Amino acid sequence: MIPAEYKEDIIQSGINFMRSITEAYGTDEGMKLWDTIASTLDPDVKGQIFFAMLTGEYNNIITITGHNPGADRIRMIKTIRSVHKRGLGLKEAKDMSDIISLGKPVKLEIDPSARAMVLSELRKAGFYV
């Protein structure tokens, strides 16, 4: 059984990982990997990841794990402000940028229908997502 405090992160990471693998290597390879991973997961977590992938339940969160050291700091802050679902203020966006610069991940709430555009914008700004 997975401790409750890790469950959400594991589900989100599993979804992001499977999405990235499928985009990079195709559906067939993604399904092969899913079969391997699913055989080792806690059944509850496995079901939630699978359900979330089917329904898009977790598509409103993107985790920024870091940034390119040469990235333009002002562009990073502007990008965070523009892609966050609630439209963050300057201080909130700067604080998030500072946390990312310290090597800590930050979760952004986004509009699920704009996910691909948001990922693209974040990557252009120098973020690792």
Side-chain angles (χ1 to χ4, degrees), residues 1-21:
M1 184 69 136
I2 294 172
E5 66 268 21
Y6 296 104
K7 190 173 184 179
E8 185 70 25
D9 284 339
I10 289 171
I11 292 169
Q12 185 63 52
S13 296
I15 293 165
N16 291 338
F17 179 68
M18 289 307 303
R19 183 177 292 120
S20 296
I21 291 296

Side-chain angles (χ1 to χ4, degrees), residues 11-12 14-16 18-19 22 27 31 34 45-60 112 115:
I11 292 169
Q12 185 63 52
I15 293 165
N16 291 338
M18 289 307 303
R19 183 177 292 120
T22 302
T27 305
M31 288 308 296
W34 171 251
V45 170
K46 177 175 110 176
Q48 287 188 37
I49 290 172
F50 189 69
F51 181 75
M53 288 190 305
L54 289 176
T55 63
E57 177 183 323
Y58 283 83
N59 285 341
N60 67 332
R115 185 176 184 81

Side-chain angles (χ1 to χ4, degrees), residues 3-118:
E5 66 268 21
Y6 296 104
K7 190 173 184 179
E8 185 70 25
D9 284 339
I10 289 171
I11 292 169
Q12 185 63 52
S13 296
I15 293 165
N16 291 338
F17 179 68
M18 289 307 303
R19 183 177 292 120
S20 296
I21 291 296
T22 302
E23 287 174 6
Y25 296 104
T27 305
D28 291 342
E29 289 300 315
M31 288 308 296
K32 286 180 192 174
L33 182 60
W34 171 251
D35 288 341
T36 302
I37 291 172
S39 69
T40 62
L41 285 175
D42 175 287
D44 183 44
V45 170
K46 177 175 110 176
Q48 287 188 37
I49 290 172
F50 189 69
F51 181 75
M53 288 190 305
L54 289 176
T55 63
E57 177 183 323
Y58 283 83
N59 285 341
N60 67 332
I61 302 293
I62 290 179
T63 303
I64 299 175
T65 58
H67 67 86
N68 179 333
D72 179 355
R73 189 86 170 163
I74 294 171
R75 182 174 183 188
M76 290 169 50
I77 294 167
K78 284 182 178 181
T79 301
I80 290 171
R81 289 186 73 194
S82 69
V83 302
H84 196 281
K85 186 175 183 176
R86 292 182 287 116
L88 297 178
L90 182 59
K91 181 179 179 349
E92 291 172 302
K94 183 188 176 300
D95 290 347
M96 281 187 166
S97 178
D98 291 343
I99 291 168
I100 295 163
S101 293
L102 293 172
K104 297 178 181 177
V106 168
K107 293 179 189 274
L108 290 180
E109 183 180 355
I110 62 155
D111 177 356
S113 65
R115 185 176 184 81
M117 183 276 301
V118 169

